[in-house]
């Protein structure tokens, strides 16, 4: 699952901002970009020395504490403050 992708010119390289995830309306994860081991800009700069990054590439960095199982029927709502939000429902497919 991925939220809308935003241009750096619109959101910059955020150094702080609450990150949270609700599962079925209950907060499951809650953190802040400021608590990340590496700043967003540093992650991009470091990774770009190893691989060619292109517009639209996604970099997955991990997740705040609180990871847990989700099951079909669960409703997810997540926000990275100042960047974006997403909503999703887990469905079972054949």
């Amino acid at each position: 699952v991925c939220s809308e992708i935003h241009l750096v010119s619109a959101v910059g390289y955020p150094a702080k901002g609450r990150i949270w995830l609700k599962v079925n309306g209950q907060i499951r994860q809650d953190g802040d970009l400021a608590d990340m081991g590496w700043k967003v800009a540093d992650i991009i700069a470091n990774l770009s020395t190893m691989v060619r990054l292109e517009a639209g590439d996604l970099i997955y960095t991990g997740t705040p504490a609180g990871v847990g199982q989700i099951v079909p029927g669960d409703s997810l709502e997540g926000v990275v403050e100042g960047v974006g939000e997403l909503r999703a429902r887990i469905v079972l497919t054949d």
Side-chain angles (χ1 to χ4, degrees), residues 21 23-24 28-29 66-72 74-76 90:
L21 174 72
V23 178
N24 301 321
R28 173 88 57 95
Q29 296 179 289
V67 173
Q69 181 179 13
I70 55 176
V71 297
D74 281 350
S75 231
L76 308 177
I90 305 304

Side-chain angles (χ1 to χ4, degrees), residues 15 26 31 35 59 67 75 82 87 90 94:
Q26 301 291 322
D35 297 330
I59 302 170
V67 173
S75 231
R87 286 176 172 58
I90 305 304
D94 294 324

Side-chain angles (χ1 to χ4, degrees), residues 8 13 38-53 59 61:
V8 170
Y13 299 98
W38 294 68
K39 291 183 167 88
V40 172
D42 293 341
I43 292 169
I44 296 167
N46 188 29
L47 186 57
S48 70
T49 67
M50 296 177 264
V51 296
R52 181 179 176 160
L53 295 175
I59 302 170
T61 60

Side-chain angles (χ1 to χ4, degrees), residues 7-22:
L7 297 174
V8 170
S9 60
V11 299
Y13 299 98
K16 62 181 180 175
R18 186 174 174 214
I19 305 169
W20 57 263
L21 174 72
K22 289 182 181 179

